[in-house]
Amino acid sequence: MTRDTGWQLVVLGIAQDGGVPHMGCDAGPCAAARRGERRPEKVACLGITDGERAYVIDATPDFPAQVEAMGAALPSGVFLTHAHIGHYTGLVHLGKEVAGALGVPVWATTKMREVIATNAPWRALVENGNVDLRDNTDVDLGGVRVRAIQVPHRNEYADTVGYLIEGQRAKVLYIPDIDRWEPWDRDIRALVESVDVAFLDATFASGDELPGRDMSRVPHPLVSDSVARLAGLGARVRFIHLNHTNPLLDDPKPLEALGFRVAFEGERIPL
């Protein structure tokens, strides 16, 4: 990597944990991606880079391609949000079977670090020195500050966080997963007003996207609810973590008409 003009945040993926095309899906954007009629969508992930160092938020199933997209052979470090498969399972690529990395910093909560350190196969990454588990509460990268904020999100195995990313030029909020806005002890509108850009959970556009499944078991705020709560703030919002069933993947125009938009892979924000 060569040094850039300064710190930047880059969008490395926008899809829910299963990506697009999604296993078992043979319709809509999944089918179009398989036919080569639209590009696949990688799992939601943000990168932070100064042109030499390359950090990623979450180790997704697309981890190798997302690190490579930043021009790096290995990440300079990884920030984890939680213990669902789309957000940490990419760490396996740092193990001896693949990269054989040495001491890559992995910032996470106490509970998330316990999941990795005490459960196979993840604990092998610690035992073999592939990763160095660190606290993610408040991290100074030397020009960019990354702070974890707790969010409510099922938490079957560990807790869940979003991140505030602050550089000299911009402040960014990243919340790819949350159950609902209303049980949270923070005001999402006030949070969005306090940042320049907010990447927010847009898993589902409507409550009927998973026929035959109980959507109360996978709670997320509907995009329509988020738009209503954030009226007038659309220029700051980028919706991310879209499920393969979300119609906004194929047609974001209704959202754009309201002043909001979907994030896109490759989008860059100077920090």
Side-chain angles (χ1 to χ4, degrees), residues 76-264:
S76 303
V78 180
F79 291 86
L80 298 180
T81 59
H82 64 298
H84 287 163
I85 64 167
H87 301 267
Y88 80 105
T89 56
L91 290 177
V92 296
H93 294 279
L94 298 176
K96 65 181 181 180
E97 299 89 344
V98 186
L102 294 175
V104 173
V106 174
W107 289 280
T109 67
T110 298
K111 291 181 179 179
M112 186 69 217
R113 297 197 306 272
E114 289 175 355
V115 167
I116 295 169
T118 62
N119 290 280
W122 318 106
R123 68 175 182 240
L125 297 173
V126 180
E127 294 166 353
N128 294 330
N130 305 126
V131 302
D132 178 12
L133 298 179
R134 302 182 184 184
D135 180 72
N136 67 347
T137 302
D138 193 337
V139 181
D140 184 354
L141 297 178
V144 170
R145 183 182 181 190
V146 182
R147 287 177 289 161
I149 52 174
Q150 287 280 334
V151 300
H153 183 56
R154 303 206 307 272
N155 299 340
E156 302 98 329
Y157 312 111
D159 47 1
T160 301
V161 298
Y163 285 101
L164 283 167
I165 305 129
E166 187 171 6
Q168 294 182 347
R169 294 177 288 182
K171 186 176 182 180
V172 175
L173 173 67
Y174 184 51
I175 303 177
D177 276 283
I178 189 169
D179 287 347
R180 294 282 186 270
W181 299 123
E182 57 268 15
W184 201 18
D185 61 1
R186 291 176 178 256
D187 181 346
I188 184 56
R189 186 174 181 88
L191 261 180
V192 172
E193 288 176 333
S194 74
V195 301
D196 298 287
V197 181
F199 291 90
L200 302 179
D201 183 344
T203 307
F204 300 120
S206 70
D208 59 359
E209 289 184 33
L210 300 178
R213 291 182 61 181
D214 180 1
M215 288 187 64
S216 69
R217 295 177 62 85
V218 284
H220 291 271
L222 297 182
V223 172
S224 56
D225 177 44
S226 300
V227 167
R229 290 172 182 271
L230 301 173
L233 298 176
R236 304 185 190 206
V237 175
R238 308 288 189 273
F239 284 115
I240 200 165
H241 196 268
L242 281 71
N243 199 54
H244 65 287
T245 57
N246 192 321
L248 294 172
L249 281 169
D250 276 342
D251 184 13
K253 292 184 179 62
L255 185 66
E256 293 167 354
L258 298 172
F260 293 78
R261 68 180 179 84
V262 173
F264 63 90

